[in-house]
Amino acid sequence: ACVAVWFFPEDEWRLFSGMAAKPCVDALNSRQLIIGHNVNAFDNPIIVRHARCDIFAPVFDFLSVIREQSGGHGWKLDEIARAMGVGQKHMDGAKEAELVKQGKLIEVADSAMADVRLLKRILQKVRLGHGTVSGKNESVRLPASVYGQIEF
């Protein structure tokens, strides 16, 4: 339905509707690095399908990185945010899908933007904590070569 994007270092927030998939891909491909949570398995395939073109910019998928460092375990964005004390998600994916079916795209867009802001707060805390990520009842430490890719 929509994609929320925060462009760094410009500190610019943009929202792309489903009908603007190609401009979204063009904007993503203009970046040195795309950062997201579960973007490789969820967001990017949907965007590519709608845009009918590939995303070729490098991707830092936070969920994939956590899984690599924790031996296969991963946490939802909400679990990480709560464990790290930076907030919580406003709604889950099932609720967003229901709102899309109801045509309530403003609420979906608000939720998408809130998720991007939440991920930004998490990643800022990861950098300040020298790579420590908490979720559920455990923590993992990302190597500097990994969390060093995240710049704000």
Side-chain angles (χ1 to χ4, degrees), residues 51-86:
R52 295 188 174 106
C53 58
D54 287 331
I55 296 171
F56 56 80
V59 175
F60 180 95
D61 188 328
F62 193 50
L63 180 59
S64 297
V65 168
I66 291 170
R67 284 184 175 146
E68 289 170 12
Q69 299 301 315
S70 69
H73 304 289
W75 306 304
K76 293 181 178 183
L77 188 64
D78 187 59
E79 294 169 339
I80 297 167
R82 288 173 186 256
M84 295 186 73
V86 296

Side-chain angles (χ1 to χ4, degrees), residues 9-150:
E10 301 92 342
D11 197 29
E12 177 188 343
W13 295 87
R14 291 187 55 196
L15 189 66
F16 297 91
S17 73
M19 294 179 290
K22 176 72 168 87
C24 179
V25 170
D26 292 343
L28 293 172
N29 282 335
S30 73
R31 311 315 294 185
Q32 292 181 358
L33 183 66
I34 298 169
I35 300 173
H37 188 81
N38 199 27
V39 292
N40 286 338
F42 184 76
D43 304 84
N44 288 355
I46 293 170
I47 296 167
V48 166
R49 186 174 69 239
H50 286 282
R52 295 188 174 106
C53 58
D54 287 331
I55 296 171
F56 56 80
V59 175
F60 180 95
D61 188 328
F62 193 50
L63 180 59
S64 297
V65 168
I66 291 170
R67 284 184 175 146
E68 289 170 12
Q69 299 301 315
S70 69
H73 304 289
W75 306 304
K76 293 181 178 183
L77 188 64
D78 187 59
E79 294 169 339
I80 297 167
R82 288 173 186 256
M84 295 186 73
V86 296
Q88 65 187 52
K89 282 182 61 92
H90 296 290
M91 70 177 74
D92 63 25
K95 177 66 175 173
E96 288 175 358
E98 180 183 316
L99 290 173
V100 168
K101 288 178 185 176
Q102 295 172 3
K104 297 181 179 180
L105 300 183
I106 298 295
E107 290 91 337
V108 175
D110 288 344
S111 178
M113 291 299 279
D115 285 355
V116 173
R117 289 184 180 100
L118 186 60
L119 179 58
K120 180 183 174 192
R121 287 194 306 272
I122 290 168
L123 294 174
Q124 287 171 326
K125 191 155 186 181
V126 168
R127 280 196 52 87
L128 290 172
H130 303 285
T132 301
V133 181
S134 300
K136 290 191 178 180
N137 296 319
E138 59 183 307
S139 294
V140 295
R141 178 120 179 178
L142 306 180
S145 61
V146 172
Y147 75 83
Q149 296 178 54
I150 309 164

